[in-house]
Amino acid sequence: MAREFMLQLAFLILTLSILYVVHNLRKRPPQLRFRNRTRDNHQSNRHLVQGSRLLARARSISQRPQTMAHARNAIIEADQALSLSPRDPAAHILKALALDLMGHRTAALRSMDSALSTPHVKSLSAAEHVDALVKRAELKLAVNRRRRVDSAVEDLVEAVRLSEGRNTAALCSLGECYEWKEMKEKAKEAFQRALDLEPESVKAHNGLDRLGP
């Protein structure tokens, strides 16, 4: 859980920094519009930073009422960022993570779908794209594993491709999906590739143990 939180937090911070650069490198419109747009981008980034802090705080608190309150406030910050920058995938991702923490996985999945839709996804780096695909696959399985496992596999296969097979989380989740689909050899291959990348991966070890020789 702690490792997942750190990965998600690092993902959010990296997304914010990359997107700030992307926004400021875009072709400038007329001067007045550029000034307004710069102000909006600055305000949007400020909401995203505050929302990320609230989400981190929500995950660090054991009392559920406080966790829920911070998560709700993170969603408010994400919505304010989206009102200023509707195409910013970082805001959709922040909202998805907060909704997921509150247990609203269907709504979280919709937000993640928005982050990965065209043209939003074009603003993501390859690494950010991979992390978002892995998270969306996780949400699909949480919402309805039986109906969405094939769709989750598509996301995870794409995540493995984009990461050139170097993302342990994607490989382990893909292994679990293949295991649920009773595709034993493919599941073992995915878990073994994850183990080769991260020899201490508990999820990969457990997956191989379940599948047996």
Side-chain angles (χ1 to χ4, degrees):
M1 180 65 70
R3 182 173 179 274
E4 180 186 354
F5 160 63
M6 291 303 295
L7 286 173
Q8 290 178 343
L9 181 59
F11 170 50
L12 281 171
I13 293 172
L14 179 60
T15 299
L16 292 176
S17 62
I18 293 295
L19 288 174
Y20 180 79
V21 173
V22 170
H23 282 310
N24 284 280
L25 287 178
R26 287 174 179 167
K27 184 177 180 180
R28 299 184 178 187
Q31 190 65 30
L32 178 60
R33 291 180 59 199
F34 172 69
R35 284 200 299 270
N36 291 338
R37 188 172 172 181
T38 299
R39 184 176 65 249
D40 287 349
N41 286 341
H42 176 72
Q43 291 174 346
S44 175
N45 288 335
R46 192 168 59 183
H47 287 304
L48 286 171
V49 170
Q50 180 61 19
S52 298
R53 289 173 180 165
L54 287 165
L55 182 61
R57 199 175 304 162
R59 291 187 175 278
S60 67
I61 297 174
S62 57
Q63 292 86 359
R64 183 166 177 78
Q66 291 181 334
T67 295
M68 298 291 278
H70 287 313
R72 280 194 294 270
N73 288 333
I75 292 170
I76 291 172
E77 295 293 338
D79 283 337
Q80 289 176 329
L82 285 170
S83 70
L84 296 166
S85 300
R87 294 188 177 186
D88 190 341
H92 289 291
I93 291 169
L94 172 61
K95 186 172 182 178
L97 294 175
L99 286 166
D100 182 36
L101 185 60
M102 295 179 70
H104 304 318
R105 292 190 172 88
T106 300
L109 180 56
R110 285 198 296 267
S111 289
M112 195 59 74
D113 283 340
S114 294
L116 288 167
S117 66
T118 304
H120 304 163
V121 71
K122 294 179 181 180
S123 296
L124 295 175
S125 70
E128 292 163 351
H129 193 173
V130 167
D131 288 341
L133 284 168
V134 173
K135 183 60 182 179
R136 184 167 72 172
E138 175 189 316
L139 288 168
K140 287 177 178 178
L141 295 172
V143 169
N144 192 321
R145 189 175 80 183
R146 184 183 296 275
R147 291 181 56 188
R148 296 179 182 265
V149 64
D150 290 333
S151 180
V153 167
E154 290 177 4
D155 278 351
L156 293 168
V157 167
E158 179 64 6
V160 170
R161 185 189 70 80
L162 288 172
S163 66
E164 298 180 344
R166 307 187 74 79
N167 187 292
T168 304
L171 287 166
C172 284
S173 294
L174 184 59
E176 289 178 338
C177 286
Y178 283 141
E179 185 180 357
W180 292 326
K181 288 169 64 66
E182 299 183 354
M183 301 170 68
K184 183 176 179 179
E185 293 307 314
K186 283 196 170 186
K188 289 173 67 174
E189 179 186 351
F191 285 129
Q192 186 59 57
R193 289 174 67 185
L195 201 61
D196 291 341
L197 286 174
E198 190 178 324
E200 302 302 318
S201 172
V202 174
K203 187 175 285 190
H205 276 292
N206 289 344
L208 289 172
D209 287 343
R210 287 194 304 271
L211 292 166

